[in-house]
Amino acid sequence: MILRPRLEDVKIIGYYLGKIILGLALTMVIPVITGLAFKEINPTFDFLIGLEAALISGLLLTKVCYTQKNLNWMQGMIVVSLSWLAAMILGAIPLYLSGHWKSYLDACFEAMSGFATTGLALVQDLDHLSFAHNLWRHLIMFIGGQGIVIVALSLFVKGASGAFKLYVGEARDERVLPNVISTSRFIWLVSIVYLVLGTLALGITGMLSGMKPVNAFFHGACIFMAAFDTGGFAPQSQNILYYHSFQLELITIVIMILGAINFKLHYHLWAGNRKEIFKNIETTTLFVTIMVTFCITAVGLTQAGSYPQALTLFRKGFYQLISGHTGTGYQTIYPQQFINEWNHLSLVGIICAMALGGAVCSTTGAIKMLRIGIIYKALKEDLKRIILPDKAFIVEKFHHIKTVFLEDKVARSALLIALCYFILYWLGALVGMYFGHPFLNALFESTSAAANVGLSCGITGTGMPAALKITYIIQMWAGRLEFMSIFTLIGFLVAAIKGK
């Protein structure tokens, strides 16, 4: 028998959801200040309206649903899944008011793409977008990469009770420090330190390329936020191709890789344990999969004769590959070039890279390297069971910060999440094919959306059907949260309808 949710459950969910919305409202102060600094009156009012809507929503929820009770696992998962939808709806308000999005659905698509660090865009006339709105597009990537719930844990939550439920619901199950709130604050510390260093490096590079100092450092900050949080937005419509700078491309490759690394690994590197990077199952698996997928891509591009020179192959081939594998979505080619210059084999290589992703507890989406490594270890263990005598005692282990013995439940969990991703990739591809796109193109765009990458072969655009836009929004949402919190929300809604 399915039990109907109690009113108390709804109040607890509403209260904590309100807290998170208040955290989101505070972040809108930054584009308001930016608008005032650049004397952008209308954009400033756009964000004041968005800020007011978020404050009213958050305060209303916290007052109406006020409670002192802590979250349980179900409630925590539901709060997380709803908070990302609320962030999309509220974060889209100032975007839509700017007039650079044809519809509110397009603005919601952009907002979800930003928060989910995907990078697929529906903005029009990006090259003339205000500083405030452009900063907001990249700031929501910075927020989404660390985690919307991380904002609330860092700002509002005073005790650790209930915090871990929110933390896990946002597809993070590793604590860098013993306390979840301390972990959240460390994640922000790492991100802000890198933000300063990355902005300086990119800003100086921009100035050396001839950009004015203000523009150079504004672009540098925006590019860093999207690169480190493995998004794909850029201040200009040509993306990274706009800059025509080999030095900038090299810097963004380093930033993308940093963003794809586990925050726990960042902690150990900061603590001086640099040997961990060579022993960790995630970094070794990432290196192997990058080499394998690049070999596939390079062979395909060589067959097609697209980029005969080594430097061009690096800048046009490897850059797209590493951008896809880290889930960033930065491009040094136009979307149509994937169709016109890349053959099927090279597209398969980059689709595989996008599908695999980076590390767990990082800013990336997709299946992730720890799960790929665990699946490989489980397969290796099963092969040993078949080959070796029945009496042989077989133990498989792997190194992830510490040595861990492989258990069946860990392998089963990795396989289930990987299967969910593959199903999500294929479902999106089927929808794309339904609307007339070739299979490989549809799979490319679907994988990019579901794995939170942002590379596009030209399907994503304002003219695509509303149903396809909604499909990609759902894929970005589900892919970023890794399913469990969304499955919990669906179960909660079913129980509310059919429960007794």
Side-chain angles (χ1 to χ4, degrees):
M1 183 178 70
I2 301 174
L3 295 177
R4 190 185 299 273
R6 300 166 298 163
L7 180 60
E8 185 180 276
D9 293 322
V10 176
K11 286 188 67 176
I12 293 171
I13 292 166
Y15 177 73
Y16 282 94
L17 178 61
K19 286 281 191 181
I20 293 170
I21 290 173
L22 288 175
L24 177 67
L26 287 179
T27 62
M28 288 192 188
V29 173
I30 297 173
V32 168
I33 295 170
T34 303
L36 291 172
F38 286 98
K39 299 179 180 178
E40 297 173 333
I41 305 303
N42 288 337
T44 300
F45 278 112
D46 292 343
F47 283 99
L48 285 173
I49 292 169
L51 174 62
E52 186 177 4
L55 279 175
I56 291 170
S57 303
L59 289 171
L60 193 63
L61 281 170
T62 52
K63 296 298 180 184
V64 172
C65 302
Y66 179 77
T67 180
Q68 292 185 328
K69 293 189 176 180
N70 293 319
L71 291 158
N72 61 29
W73 280 107
M74 177 197 72
Q75 294 158 355
M77 292 285 184
I78 293 168
V79 168
V80 169
S81 57
L82 289 176
S83 67
W84 283 73
L85 293 177
M88 175 190 72
I89 292 166
L90 294 168
I93 292 173
L95 297 180
Y96 178 62
L97 292 174
S98 73
H100 283 262
W101 282 263
K102 286 182 70 174
S103 66
Y104 186 65
L105 176 60
D106 285 6
C108 285
F109 183 100
E110 193 96 5
M112 180 57 80
S113 182
F115 282 114
T117 68
T118 305
L120 294 173
L122 295 181
V123 60
Q124 294 187 314
D125 195 17
L126 173 58
D127 298 329
H128 296 96
L129 190 65
S130 72
F131 283 98
H133 287 98
N134 224 334
L135 179 65
W136 179 242
R137 292 173 72 244
H138 295 83
L139 183 62
I140 61 177
M141 281 196 157
F142 198 56
I143 295 166
Q146 275 59 253
I148 294 170
V149 166
I150 297 293
V151 175
L153 294 181
S154 302
L155 297 174
F156 292 114
V157 180
K158 302 301 182 185
S161 182
F164 190 57
K165 279 87 170 179
L166 293 171
Y167 184 76
V168 171
E170 208 163 53
R172 300 181 191 274
D173 55 4
E174 293 190 339
R175 284 176 284 188
V176 179
L177 299 169
N179 185 284
V180 175
I181 299 167
S182 300
T183 296
S184 303
R185 290 170 183 165
F186 174 78
I187 288 172
W188 275 108
L189 173 65
V190 169
S191 302
I192 290 169
V193 169
Y194 284 144
L195 172 62
V196 173
L197 296 175
T199 300
L200 283 172
L202 291 166
I204 292 169
T205 302
M207 287 176 61
L208 293 174
S209 300
M211 296 178 70
K212 294 179 180 179
V214 172
N215 282 341
F217 284 100
F218 178 81
H219 281 233
C222 289
I223 291 169
F224 174 84
M225 285 190 283
F228 181 71
D229 289 278
T230 60
F233 287 161
Q236 301 291 148
S237 58
Q238 289 181 305
N239 209 268
I240 298 301
L241 181 62
Y242 169 82
Y243 302 96
H244 295 286
S245 170
F246 183 51
Q247 291 77 16
L248 186 138
E249 290 164 20
L250 289 177
I251 293 170
T252 54
I253 286 173
V254 173
I255 297 170
M256 288 188 286
I257 292 172
L258 286 173
I261 292 175
N262 192 320
F263 278 108
K264 199 168 187 177
L265 182 56
H266 279 289
Y267 177 79
H268 282 268
L269 293 175
W270 281 31
N273 183 17
R274 292 176 178 83
K275 291 182 180 179
E276 181 64 31
I277 200 167
F278 301 104
K279 299 188 295 182
N280 196 287
I281 188 173
E282 286 194 296
T283 51
T284 54
T285 306
L286 180 63
F287 177 78
V288 170
T289 54
I290 287 174
M291 290 300 101
V292 170
T293 52
F294 179 62
C295 284
I296 296 169
T297 303
V299 169
L301 291 173
T302 303
Q303 282 183 340
S306 301
Y307 311 122
Q309 296 181 341
L311 182 60
T312 308
L313 180 63
F314 178 84
R315 296 183 68 180
K316 306 295 184 183
F318 182 76
Y319 190 90
Q320 265 51 238
L321 187 282
I322 201 74
S323 178
H325 206 312
T326 57
T328 306
Y330 271 155
Q331 294 186 209
T332 56
I333 62 175
Y334 293 107
Q336 292 77 14
Q337 288 180 268
F338 277 123
I339 307 304
N340 299 329
E341 296 180 1
W342 292 49
N343 63 7
H344 289 175
L345 183 60
S346 55
L347 284 176
V348 167
I350 203 162
I351 288 170
C352 291
M354 291 193 295
L356 296 174
V360 301
C361 196
S362 69
T363 64
T364 63
I367 297 170
K368 297 192 173 67
M369 291 296 97
L370 180 59
R371 296 188 184 105
I372 298 298
I374 287 172
I375 291 169
Y376 166 75
K377 290 285 187 180
L379 177 62
K380 184 179 174 183
E381 183 180 41
D382 284 348
L383 286 173
K384 285 181 180 179
R385 293 185 192 280
I386 294 170
I387 295 169
L388 296 177
D390 292 341
K391 294 182 179 180
F393 183 70
I394 300 166
V395 176
E396 195 65 46
K397 56 186 179 180
F398 59 91
H399 185 84
H400 180 56
I401 308 300
K402 60 183 179 180
T403 300
V404 181
F405 290 95
L406 181 63
E407 299 178 2
D408 287 344
K409 65 178 182 180
V410 174
R412 184 169 62 250
S413 175
L415 280 165
L416 282 173
I417 296 296
L419 179 62
C420 287
Y421 271 108
F422 282 125
I423 292 171
L424 193 63
Y425 299 152
W426 283 90
L427 286 175
L430 289 174
V431 176
M433 290 171 67
Y434 173 80
F435 287 107
H437 297 287
F439 166 70
L440 207 57
N441 299 6
L443 181 61
F444 184 102
E445 209 81 2
S446 171
T447 304
S448 182
N452 305 127
V453 178
L455 292 176
S456 175
C457 64
I459 293 176
T460 298
T462 56
M464 64 180 177
L468 192 54
K469 293 175 185 177
I470 293 169
T471 299
Y472 289 160
I473 287 173
I474 293 170
Q475 284 187 293
M476 291 187 282
W477 178 49
R480 178 61 180 82
L481 297 183
E482 295 187 357
F483 309 105
M484 290 300 106
S485 57
I486 293 172
F487 290 159
T488 305
L489 175 61
I490 293 170
F492 182 83
L493 294 175
V494 170
I497 296 168
K498 296 187 175 181
K500 295 181 180 180

CSV table of all heavy atoms in Angstrom, one decimal, residues 36-80:
chain,number,residue,atom,x,y,z
A,36,LEU,N,24.6,48.6,-12.5
A,36,LEU,CA,24.8,50.0,-12.0
A,36,LEU,C,26.2,50.5,-12.3
A,36,LEU,O,26.4,51.6,-12.7
A,36,LEU,CB,24.6,50.0,-10.5
A,36,LEU,CG,23.2,49.8,-10.0
A,36,LEU,CD1,23.2,49.7,-8.4
A,36,LEU,CD2,22.3,51.0,-10.4
A,37,ALA,N,27.2,49.6,-12.2
A,37,ALA,CA,28.6,50.0,-12.5
A,37,ALA,C,28.8,50.4,-14.0
A,37,ALA,O,29.6,51.3,-14.3
A,37,ALA,CB,29.6,48.8,-12.1
A,38,PHE,N,28.1,49.6,-14.9
A,38,PHE,CA,28.2,49.9,-16.3
A,38,PHE,C,27.1,50.9,-16.8
A,38,PHE,O,26.9,51.1,-18.0
A,38,PHE,CB,28.2,48.6,-17.1
A,38,PHE,CG,29.5,47.8,-17.0
A,38,PHE,CD1,29.6,46.8,-16.1
A,38,PHE,CD2,30.6,48.2,-17.8
A,38,PHE,CE1,30.8,46.0,-16.0
A,38,PHE,CE2,31.7,47.5,-17.7
A,38,PHE,CZ,31.9,46.4,-16.8
A,39,LYS,N,26.3,51.5,-15.8
A,39,LYS,CA,25.3,52.4,-16.2
A,39,LYS,C,24.2,51.8,-17.1
A,39,LYS,O,23.8,52.5,-18.1
A,39,LYS,CB,25.8,53.7,-16.7
A,39,LYS,CG,26.8,54.4,-15.8
A,39,LYS,CD,27.4,55.7,-16.4
A,39,LYS,CE,28.3,56.4,-15.4
A,39,LYS,NZ,28.9,57.6,-15.9
A,40,GLU,N,23.9,50.5,-16.9
A,40,GLU,CA,22.9,49.8,-17.7
A,40,GLU,C,21.6,49.9,-16.9
A,40,GLU,O,21.3,49.0,-16.0
A,40,GLU,CB,23.3,48.4,-17.9
A,40,GLU,CG,24.6,48.3,-18.8
A,40,GLU,CD,25.1,46.9,-18.9
A,40,GLU,OE1,24.8,46.1,-18.0
A,40,GLU,OE2,25.8,46.6,-19.9
A,41,ILE,N,20.7,50.8,-17.2
A,41,ILE,CA,19.5,51.1,-16.4
A,41,ILE,C,18.5,50.0,-16.5
A,41,ILE,O,18.0,49.4,-15.5
A,41,ILE,CB,18.9,52.5,-16.7
A,41,ILE,CG1,19.9,53.6,-16.6
A,41,ILE,CG2,17.7,52.7,-15.8
A,41,ILE,CD1,20.6,53.6,-15.2
A,42,ASN,N,18.1,49.7,-17.8
A,42,ASN,CA,17.1,48.7,-18.0
A,42,ASN,C,17.5,47.3,-17.5
A,42,ASN,O,16.7,46.6,-16.8
A,42,ASN,CB,16.7,48.6,-19.5
A,42,ASN,CG,15.9,49.8,-19.9
A,42,ASN,OD1,15.3,50.5,-19.1
A,42,ASN,ND2,15.9,50.1,-21.2
A,43,PRO,N,18.7,46.8,-17.8
A,43,PRO,CA,19.2,45.5,-17.2
A,43,PRO,C,19.1,45.5,-15.7
A,43,PRO,O,18.8,44.5,-15.1
A,43,PRO,CB,20.6,45.4,-17.7
A,43,PRO,CG,20.6,46.1,-19.0
A,43,PRO,CD,19.7,47.3,-18.8
A,44,THR,N,19.5,46.6,-15.1
A,44,THR,CA,19.4,46.7,-13.6
A,44,THR,C,18.0,46.5,-13.1
A,44,THR,O,17.8,45.7,-12.1
A,44,THR,CB,20.0,48.1,-13.1
A,44,THR,OG1,21.3,48.3,-13.5
A,44,THR,CG2,19.9,48.1,-11.6
A,45,PHE,N,17.1,47.1,-13.8
A,45,PHE,CA,15.7,46.9,-13.4
A,45,PHE,C,15.2,45.4,-13.6
A,45,PHE,O,14.4,44.9,-12.9
A,45,PHE,CB,14.7,47.9,-14.1
A,45,PHE,CG,14.7,49.2,-13.5
A,45,PHE,CD1,15.2,50.3,-14.1
A,45,PHE,CD2,14.1,49.4,-12.2
A,45,PHE,CE1,15.2,51.6,-13.5
A,45,PHE,CE2,14.0,50.7,-11.6
A,45,PHE,CZ,14.6,51.8,-12.3
A,46,ASP,N,15.7,44.8,-14.7
A,46,ASP,CA,15.4,43.4,-15.0
A,46,ASP,C,15.8,42.6,-13.8
A,46,ASP,O,15.0,41.7,-13.4
A,46,ASP,CB,16.1,42.9,-16.2
A,46,ASP,CG,15.6,43.6,-17.5
A,46,ASP,OD1,14.5,44.2,-17.5
A,46,ASP,OD2,16.4,43.5,-18.5
A,47,PHE,N,17.0,42.8,-13.3
A,47,PHE,CA,17.4,42.0,-12.1
A,47,PHE,C,16.8,42.3,-10.8
A,47,PHE,O,16.6,41.5,-9.9
A,47,PHE,CB,19.0,42.0,-12.1
A,47,PHE,CG,19.6,41.2,-13.1
A,47,PHE,CD1,20.1,41.7,-14.3
A,47,PHE,CD2,19.7,39.8,-12.9
A,47,PHE,CE1,20.7,41.0,-15.2
A,47,PHE,CE2,20.3,39.0,-13.9
A,47,PHE,CZ,20.8,39.6,-15.1
A,48,LEU,N,16.4,43.6,-10.7
A,48,LEU,CA,15.7,44.0,-9.5
A,48,LEU,C,14.3,43.3,-9.4
A,48,LEU,O,13.8,42.9,-8.4
A,48,LEU,CB,15.5,45.5,-9.4
A,48,LEU,CG,16.7,46.3,-9.0
A,48,LEU,CD1,16.5,47.8,-9.2
A,48,LEU,CD2,17.2,46.0,-7.6
A,49,ILE,N,13.7,43.2,-10.6
A,49,ILE,CA,12.4,42.5,-10.7
A,49,ILE,C,12.6,41.0,-10.4
A,49,ILE,O,11.8,40.4,-9.6
A,49,ILE,CB,11.8,42.6,-12.1
A,49,ILE,CG1,11.3,44.1,-12.3
A,49,ILE,CG2,10.6,41.7,-12.3
A,49,ILE,CD1,11.0,44.4,-13.7
A,50,GLY,N,13.6,40.4,-11.0
A,50,GLY,CA,13.9,39.0,-10.7
A,50,GLY,C,14.3,38.8,-9.2
A,50,GLY,O,13.8,37.8,-8.6
A,51,LEU,N,15.1,39.7,-8.7
A,51,LEU,CA,15.4,39.6,-7.2
A,51,LEU,C,14.2,39.7,-6.4
A,51,LEU,O,14.0,38.9,-5.4
A,51,LEU,CB,16.4,40.8,-6.9
A,51,LEU,CG,16.8,41.0,-5.5
A,51,LEU,CD1,17.5,39.8,-4.9
A,51,LEU,CD2,17.7,42.2,-5.3
A,52,GLU,N,13.3,40.6,-6.7
A,52,GLU,CA,12.1,40.8,-5.9
A,52,GLU,C,11.2,39.5,-6.0
A,52,GLU,O,10.7,39.0,-5.0
A,52,GLU,CB,11.3,42.0,-6.4
A,52,GLU,CG,10.0,42.3,-5.6
A,52,GLU,CD,9.3,43.5,-6.1
A,52,GLU,OE1,9.7,44.1,-7.1
A,52,GLU,OE2,8.3,43.9,-5.4
A,53,ALA,N,11.1,38.9,-7.2
A,53,ALA,CA,10.3,37.7,-7.3
A,53,ALA,C,10.9,36.6,-6.5
A,53,ALA,O,10.1,35.8,-5.9
A,53,ALA,CB,10.2,37.3,-8.8
A,54,ALA,N,12.2,36.4,-6.5
A,54,ALA,CA,12.9,35.4,-5.7
A,54,ALA,C,12.7,35.6,-4.2
A,54,ALA,O,12.4,34.7,-3.5
A,54,ALA,CB,14.3,35.3,-6.1
A,55,LEU,N,12.9,36.9,-3.8
A,55,LEU,CA,12.7,37.2,-2.4
A,55,LEU,C,11.3,36.9,-1.9
A,55,LEU,O,11.1,36.3,-0.8
A,55,LEU,CB,13.1,38.6,-2.1
A,55,LEU,CG,14.6,39.0,-2.0
A,55,LEU,CD1,14.7,40.5,-1.9
A,55,LEU,CD2,15.2,38.3,-0.8
A,56,ILE,N,10.3,37.4,-2.7
A,56,ILE,CA,8.9,37.1,-2.3
A,56,ILE,C,8.6,35.6,-2.2
A,56,ILE,O,8.0,35.2,-1.2
A,56,ILE,CB,8.0,37.8,-3.2
A,56,ILE,CG1,8.1,39.3,-3.1
A,56,ILE,CG2,6.5,37.4,-3.0
A,56,ILE,CD1,7.3,40.1,-4.2
A,57,SER,N,9.1,34.9,-3.2
A,57,SER,CA,8.8,33.4,-3.2
A,57,SER,C,9.5,32.8,-2.0
A,57,SER,O,8.9,31.9,-1.3
A,57,SER,CB,9.4,32.8,-4.5
A,57,SER,OG,8.8,33.4,-5.6
A,58,GLY,N,10.8,33.1,-1.8
A,58,GLY,CA,11.5,32.5,-0.7
A,58,GLY,C,11.0,32.8,0.7
A,58,GLY,O,10.8,31.9,1.5
A,59,LEU,N,10.7,34.1,0.9
A,59,LEU,CA,10.1,34.5,2.2
A,59,LEU,C,8.7,33.9,2.4
A,59,LEU,O,8.4,33.5,3.5
A,59,LEU,CB,10.0,36.0,2.3
A,59,LEU,CG,11.4,36.8,2.4
A,59,LEU,CD1,11.2,38.3,2.2
A,59,LEU,CD2,12.1,36.4,3.7
A,60,LEU,N,7.9,33.9,1.4
A,60,LEU,CA,6.6,33.3,1.5
A,60,LEU,C,6.7,31.8,1.9
A,60,LEU,O,5.9,31.4,2.8
A,60,LEU,CB,5.8,33.4,0.2
A,60,LEU,CG,4.3,33.2,0.2
A,60,LEU,CD1,3.6,34.2,1.1
A,60,LEU,CD2,3.7,33.3,-1.2
A,61,LEU,N,7.5,31.1,1.2
A,61,LEU,CA,7.7,29.6,1.6
A,61,LEU,C,8.2,29.4,3.0
A,61,LEU,O,7.7,28.6,3.7
A,61,LEU,CB,8.6,29.0,0.6
A,61,LEU,CG,8.0,28.6,-0.8
A,61,LEU,CD1,9.1,28.2,-1.8
A,61,LEU,CD2,7.0,27.5,-0.7
A,62,THR,N,9.2,30.2,3.4
A,62,THR,CA,9.8,30.1,4.7
A,62,THR,C,8.8,30.5,5.8
A,62,THR,O,8.8,29.9,6.9
A,62,THR,CB,11.1,30.9,4.9
A,62,THR,OG1,10.9,32.2,4.5
A,62,THR,CG2,12.2,30.3,4.0
A,63,LYS,N,7.9,31.4,5.6
A,63,LYS,CA,6.9,31.9,6.6
A,63,LYS,C,5.7,30.9,6.6
A,63,LYS,O,5.3,30.5,7.7
A,63,LYS,CB,6.4,33.3,6.3
A,63,LYS,CG,7.5,34.4,6.3
A,63,LYS,CD,8.1,34.5,7.7
A,63,LYS,CE,9.1,35.6,7.8
A,63,LYS,NZ,9.8,35.6,9.1
A,64,VAL,N,5.2,30.6,5.5
A,64,VAL,CA,4.0,29.7,5.4
A,64,VAL,C,4.4,28.3,5.9
A,64,VAL,O,3.6,27.6,6.6
A,64,VAL,CB,3.4,29.6,4.0
A,64,VAL,CG1,2.3,28.6,3.9
A,64,VAL,CG2,2.9,31.0,3.6
A,65,CYS,N,5.6,27.8,5.5
A,65,CYS,CA,6.0,26.4,5.8
A,65,CYS,C,6.9,26.3,7.0
A,65,CYS,O,7.7,25.4,7.1
A,65,CYS,CB,6.6,25.8,4.6
A,65,CYS,SG,5.5,25.7,3.1
A,66,TYR,N,7.0,27.3,7.8
A,66,TYR,CA,8.0,27.4,8.9
A,66,TYR,C,7.9,26.1,9.7
A,66,TYR,O,6.9,25.7,10.2
A,66,TYR,CB,7.8,28.6,9.8
A,66,TYR,CG,8.8,28.7,10.9
A,66,TYR,CD1,10.1,29.1,10.7
A,66,TYR,CD2,8.4,28.3,12.2
A,66,TYR,CE1,11.0,29.1,11.7
A,66,TYR,CE2,9.4,28.3,13.2
A,66,TYR,CZ,10.7,28.7,13.0
A,66,TYR,OH,11.6,28.7,14.0
A,67,THR,N,9.1,25.6,10.0
A,67,THR,CA,9.2,24.4,10.8
A,67,THR,C,10.7,24.3,11.4
A,67,THR,O,11.6,24.9,10.8
A,67,THR,CB,9.0,23.1,10.0
A,67,THR,OG1,9.1,22.0,10.9
A,67,THR,CG2,9.9,23.0,8.8
A,68,GLN,N,10.8,23.7,12.5
A,68,GLN,CA,12.1,23.5,13.1
A,68,GLN,C,12.6,22.0,12.9
A,68,GLN,O,13.7,21.7,13.4
A,68,GLN,CB,12.1,23.9,14.6
A,68,GLN,CG,11.9,25.4,14.8
A,68,GLN,CD,12.0,25.7,16.3
A,68,GLN,OE1,11.6,25.0,17.1
A,68,GLN,NE2,12.5,26.9,16.5
A,69,LYS,N,11.8,21.2,12.2
A,69,LYS,CA,12.2,19.8,12.0
A,69,LYS,C,13.2,19.7,10.9
A,69,LYS,O,13.3,20.5,10.0
A,69,LYS,CB,10.9,19.0,11.7
A,69,LYS,CG,9.9,19.0,12.8
A,69,LYS,CD,8.8,18.0,12.6
A,69,LYS,CE,7.9,17.9,13.8
A,69,LYS,NZ,6.7,17.0,13.6
A,70,ASN,N,14.0,18.6,11.1
A,70,ASN,CA,15.1,18.3,10.1
A,70,ASN,C,14.5,17.5,9.0
A,70,ASN,O,13.5,16.8,9.0
A,70,ASN,CB,16.2,17.6,10.8
A,70,ASN,CG,16.9,18.4,11.8
A,70,ASN,OD1,17.1,19.6,11.6
A,70,ASN,ND2,17.2,17.8,13.0
A,71,LEU,N,15.3,17.6,7.9
A,71,LEU,CA,14.9,16.8,6.7
A,71,LEU,C,15.2,15.3,6.9
A,71,LEU,O,16.2,14.9,7.5
A,71,LEU,CB,15.8,17.3,5.5
A,71,LEU,CG,15.5,18.7,4.9
A,71,LEU,CD1,16.7,19.2,4.2
A,71,LEU,CD2,14.3,18.6,4.0
A,72,ASN,N,14.4,14.5,6.3
A,72,ASN,CA,14.8,13.0,6.1
A,72,ASN,C,15.3,12.9,4.7
A,72,ASN,O,15.3,13.8,3.9
A,72,ASN,CB,13.6,12.1,6.5
A,72,ASN,CG,12.4,12.3,5.6
A,72,ASN,OD1,12.5,12.7,4.4
A,72,ASN,ND2,11.2,12.1,6.1
A,73,TRP,N,15.6,11.6,4.4
A,73,TRP,CA,16.2,11.4,3.0
A,73,TRP,C,15.2,11.8,1.9
A,73,TRP,O,15.6,12.4,0.9
A,73,TRP,CB,16.6,9.9,2.9
A,73,TRP,CG,17.9,9.6,3.6
A,73,TRP,CD1,18.2,9.0,4.7
A,73,TRP,CD2,19.2,10.1,3.1
A,73,TRP,NE1,19.5,8.9,5.0
A,73,TRP,CE2,20.2,9.6,4.1
A,73,TRP,CE3,19.7,10.8,2.1
A,73,TRP,CZ2,21.5,9.9,3.9
A,73,TRP,CZ3,21.0,11.1,1.9
A,73,TRP,CH2,21.9,10.6,2.9
A,74,MET,N,14.0,11.3,2.0
A,74,MET,CA,13.0,11.6,1.0
A,74,MET,C,12.8,13.1,0.8
A,74,MET,O,12.9,13.6,-0.3
A,74,MET,CB,11.7,11.0,1.3
A,74,MET,CG,10.6,11.3,0.3
A,74,MET,SD,8.9,10.9,1.0
A,74,MET,CE,8.7,12.3,2.1
A,75,GLN,N,12.7,13.8,1.9
A,75,GLN,CA,12.4,15.3,1.8
A,75,GLN,C,13.6,16.0,1.2
A,75,GLN,O,13.5,16.9,0.4
A,75,GLN,CB,12.1,15.8,3.2
A,75,GLN,CG,10.8,15.3,3.8
A,75,GLN,CD,10.7,15.3,5.3
A,75,GLN,OE1,11.7,15.7,6.0
A,75,GLN,NE2,9.6,15.0,5.9
A,76,GLY,N,14.8,15.6,1.6
A,76,GLY,CA,16.0,16.2,1.1
A,76,GLY,C,16.2,16.0,-0.4
A,76,GLY,O,16.5,17.0,-1.1
A,77,MET,N,15.9,14.8,-0.9
A,77,MET,CA,16.0,14.6,-2.3
A,77,MET,C,14.9,15.5,-3.1
A,77,MET,O,15.3,16.0,-4.2
A,77,MET,CB,15.7,13.1,-2.6
A,77,MET,CG,16.8,12.2,-2.1
A,77,MET,SD,18.2,12.2,-3.2
A,77,MET,CE,19.2,11.0,-2.4
A,78,ILE,N,13.8,15.6,-2.5
A,78,ILE,CA,12.7,16.3,-3.2
A,78,ILE,C,13.0,17.8,-3.2
A,78,ILE,O,12.8,18.5,-4.2
A,78,ILE,CB,11.3,16.1,-2.5
A,78,ILE,CG1,10.9,14.6,-2.8
A,78,ILE,CG2,10.3,17.0,-3.1
A,78,ILE,CD1,9.7,14.2,-1.9
A,79,VAL,N,13.6,18.3,-2.1
A,79,VAL,CA,14.0,19.7,-2.0
A,79,VAL,C,15.0,20.0,-3.1
A,79,VAL,O,14.9,21.1,-3.8
A,79,VAL,CB,14.6,20.1,-0.7
A,79,VAL,CG1,15.3,21.4,-0.7
A,79,VAL,CG2,13.5,20.1,0.4
A,80,VAL,N,16.0,19.1,-3.3
A,80,VAL,CA,17.0,19.4,-4.3
A,80,VAL,C,16.4,19.4,-5.7
A,80,VAL,O,16.7,20.3,-6.5
A,80,VAL,CB,18.1,18.3,-4.2
A,80,VAL,CG1,19.0,18.3,-5.4
A,80,VAL,CG2,18.9,18.4,-2.9
